[in-house]
Amino acid sequence: MDYAATGTEALARIDAAADLDAIEQLRIAFLGKQGSISGLLKTLGQMSPEERQSEGPKIHALREAVTVALAARKAGLESAALEVRLAAERIDLTLPAPETPRGTVHPVSQVMDELAEIFADLGFAVATGPEIEDDWHNFTALNMPESHPARAMHDTFYFPDEAAASDGRPGRMLLRTHTSPVQIRTMLANGAPLRIIAPGRVYRSDSDATHTPMFHQVEGLVIDKGIHLGHLKWTLETFLKAFFEREDIVLRLRPSYFPFTEPSVEVDVGFALVNGRRVLGGSGDAPGHGWMELLGSGMVNRKVIEFGGLDPDEWQGFAFGIGVDRLAMLKYGMDDLRAFFDGDQRWLAHYGFSALDVPTLSGGVGTPA
Ligand code: PHE
């Protein structure tokens, strides 16, 4: 039998195969169970030993040649297909982003970016601390010793007893209940003077329409010489005017209590009732107006400055803590805090911000997408 002719014809057909399907068809036709070359191999069984000696190597060589040709053609077709795909899927990264699919920046992230931008302009750096915090930083160093009644108000998530503080200090680990421990960490790490904000997640075991077990705060801390309440009030006023983008923001400072500030002031912001909605601006004492509690603040307690490794006779400061989610709700008009953390695509599409809408003081710190 003329195996050479069979081989030449097979190789020609393989060469002419137009696509991967055709290659597979040929593989079955030649090498499959019922394939022609498989058939030739079976004829070896009926041959005389001499015949087999002369024919066997030829049939095996034929099968080898066809196998190699199939693999080569297949590889060629695959890389050609890849080239076509790469050419078709090429994107020009200098073009504007496509409309869809489009993700959005969460309002909480947006507001945190806005806060960082506004406070950067006032000379504040952004500081961070761990969400898994130890009892000392979260409570003791903030003038809340063991058995302090204020601890009970924090609805703390504690870790099991075995977990010891990372730095070897006594005390259990917990999920930080506020961003205030960053005050201590920053004083200990950087000394004074200081001007920082510390935005981040905080946790309390509390949950209803206005409370979620995880929420966001931004802490503010200024430590310097001769700092007084006037600095605090000016800073908050300047910040809130920039944040809400209106000049008629009016604040009311009420005496309050926090273990880590002395004196402590709760800050309310005036609002007007417009069509049943609270719109910030104007004095809360004017007819049709009211006051809304916005944040806690005060002069940093001497003991806290000491826990921060500084001399309170030399350094004074003020601190404040604001709910970031609350700020976002007030500015962008959402009414249910829980929706912030549901991950509902419709909510995110509606309230989210364009990734390209980076807040800047010159361009505006809050233009909805
Ligand atoms: N840490 C306080 C809270 O979570 C807020 C606060 C911060 C008050 C700084 C005063 C100074 O309620």
Side-chain angles (χ1 to χ4, degrees):
M1 185 170 173
D2 186 358
Y3 301 120
T6 313
T8 311
E9 195 217 320
L11 297 189
R13 285 176 65 191
I14 292 169
D15 217 38
D19 54 31
L20 293 172
D21 265 355
I23 286 289
E24 180 60 10
Q25 291 308 319
L26 289 175
R27 188 192 66 75
I28 293 167
F30 296 137
L31 305 173
K33 264 211 182 86
Q34 314 292 328
S36 54
I37 296 174
S38 309
L40 289 177
L41 283 166
K42 280 178 204 151
T43 62
L44 288 174
Q46 286 113 50
M47 291 181 189
S48 64
E50 298 75 33
E51 253 184 323
R52 201 178 300 139
Q53 273 233 323
S54 73
E55 301 303 290
K58 293 182 200 159
I59 299 176
H60 280 292
L62 173 62
R63 189 183 64 166
E64 181 63 15
V66 165
T67 305
V68 168
L70 282 170
R73 183 71 185 137
K74 190 173 173 205
L77 285 170
E78 276 171 350
S79 76
L82 182 63
E83 289 301 330
V84 169
R85 210 180 128 197
L86 287 176
E89 292 180 3
R90 191 166 64 188
I91 56 164
D92 182 348
L93 291 175
T94 64
L95 289 175
E99 278 300 306
T100 50
R102 196 188 73 163
T104 58
V105 174
H106 196 282
V108 169
S109 301
Q110 177 77 14
V111 164
M112 287 195 184
D113 288 348
E114 293 173 18
L115 296 172
E117 177 67 16
I118 294 169
F119 277 103
D121 201 51
L122 298 175
F124 286 64
V126 173
T128 56
E131 291 169 29
I132 297 175
E133 187 51 281
D134 57 64
D135 187 283
W136 188 83
H137 285 93
N138 195 80
F139 291 125
T140 309
L142 289 162
N143 193 31
M144 280 182 273
E146 211 79 52
S147 84
H148 193 288
R151 284 187 175 218
M153 292 167 58
H154 278 231
D155 300 314
T156 311
F157 286 112
Y158 283 100
F159 283 82
D161 267 329
E162 311 85 70
S166 51
D167 58 0
R169 277 202 178 85
R172 297 159 73 178
M173 299 301 283
L174 46 82
L175 292 177
R176 68 177 180 189
T177 58
H178 50 178
T179 42
S180 300
V182 184
Q183 290 188 30
I184 303 297
R185 290 186 174 274
T186 315
M187 281 190 269
L188 288 174
N190 300 335
L194 273 182
R195 252 186 264 179
I196 56 120
I197 58 166
R201 297 189 186 94
V202 300
Y203 303 82
R204 293 187 198 179
S205 63
D206 198 356
S207 193
D208 58 36
T210 53
H211 298 87
T212 48
M214 185 280 291
F215 57 104
H216 301 83
Q217 286 188 337
V218 62
E219 193 82 6
L221 175 69
V222 168
I223 299 282
D224 211 321
K225 294 183 177 174
I227 296 292
H228 55 72
L229 264 184
H231 294 125
L232 168 64
K233 187 174 186 218
W234 181 89
T235 303
L236 292 175
E237 239 162 37
T238 304
F239 151 61
L240 290 168
K241 282 178 182 171
F243 180 74
F244 289 109
E245 297 182 303
R246 40 192 310 159
E247 275 301 308
D248 62 345
I249 297 287
V250 179
L251 299 186
R252 180 175 76 173
L253 273 55
R254 273 184 298 113
S256 183
Y257 174 76
F258 298 103
F260 30 92
T261 46
E262 182 59 35
S264 302
V265 271
E266 209 116 33
V267 177
D268 300 338
V269 60
F271 66 85
L273 271 181
V274 180
N275 300 325
R277 280 199 87 94
R278 294 169 161 201
V279 177
L280 296 194
S283 165
D285 293 327
H289 285 57
W291 295 107
M292 189 184 337
E293 189 183 316
L294 198 60
L295 61 98
S297 63
M299 303 306 296
V300 182
N301 191 303
R302 290 177 60 88
K303 290 193 191 148
V304 172
I305 292 184
E306 269 170 17
F307 276 119
L310 299 171
D311 177 0
D313 288 326
E314 187 181 0
W315 302 102
Q316 299 77 45
F318 66 77
F320 56 86
I322 317 178
V324 173
D325 315 281
R326 189 101 193 292
L327 282 179
M329 292 168 83
L330 278 172
K331 183 165 177 181
Y332 296 116
M334 306 89 166
D335 50 17
D336 190 344
L337 177 65
R338 290 169 297 193
F340 274 59
F341 311 116
D342 282 346
D344 185 326
Q345 282 296 335
R346 292 160 301 179
W347 190 92
L348 291 167
H350 183 79
Y351 287 111
F353 291 80
S354 160
L356 301 176
D357 188 18
V358 179
T360 59
L361 279 181
S362 54
V365 284
T367 322

